[in-house]
Amino acid sequence: CLREMVQDRFKELRKLLENLGADPEVVTMQWFMCMYVNCLPLETTLRVWDVFFYEGGATLFRVALALVKTCMDDLLKAKNATDAMQRLTEAAQNAQ
């Protein structure tokens, strides 16, 4: 589901990821399974949880899309799939 959202909203990024053979779900699966624990700073994770419990599951996708959007410029500079996934992981770790 997230893959389709990224493809719809970020056309240029979609093309790059396809060319690199990168699948953002490799990184985002951990985000969703752990509800961003150990992926985002603790304070940010708690804020995500507050919104999740108030507004529901769509919050997890909105946060993921926001993280992708914030690191878009860095992602577009990726030279290979591993580099792209590392940049996405770092975006989450540095989020506030």
Side-chain angles (χ1 to χ4, degrees), residues 17-45:
L17 293 177
E18 285 176 359
N19 290 338
L20 295 176
D23 184 359
E25 290 181 1
V26 170
V27 174
T28 60
M29 183 184 308
Q30 179 186 2
W31 294 354
F32 295 140
M33 290 179 65
C34 298
M35 290 184 55
Y36 295 98
V37 171
N38 297 324
C39 302
L40 293 173
L42 179 60
E43 185 175 327
T44 307
T45 300

Side-chain angles (χ1 to χ4, degrees), residues 10-76:
F10 309 112
K11 307 275 189 227
E12 188 177 358
L13 179 61
R14 178 195 60 153
K15 290 176 186 175
L16 175 68
L17 293 177
E18 285 176 359
N19 290 338
L20 295 176
D23 184 359
E25 290 181 1
V26 170
V27 174
T28 60
M29 183 184 308
Q30 179 186 2
W31 294 354
F32 295 140
M33 290 179 65
C34 298
M35 290 184 55
Y36 295 98
V37 171
N38 297 324
C39 302
L40 293 173
L42 179 60
E43 185 175 327
T44 307
T45 300
L46 295 176
R47 289 181 184 174
V48 169
W49 285 9
D50 285 343
V51 177
F52 169 77
F53 288 122
Y54 185 75
E55 295 183 8
T59 300
L60 301 179
F61 289 99
R62 287 194 300 265
V63 171
L65 289 172
L67 288 170
V68 169
K69 186 174 182 178
T70 61
C71 71
M72 178 75 72
D73 291 338
D74 280 343
L75 281 172
L76 292 173

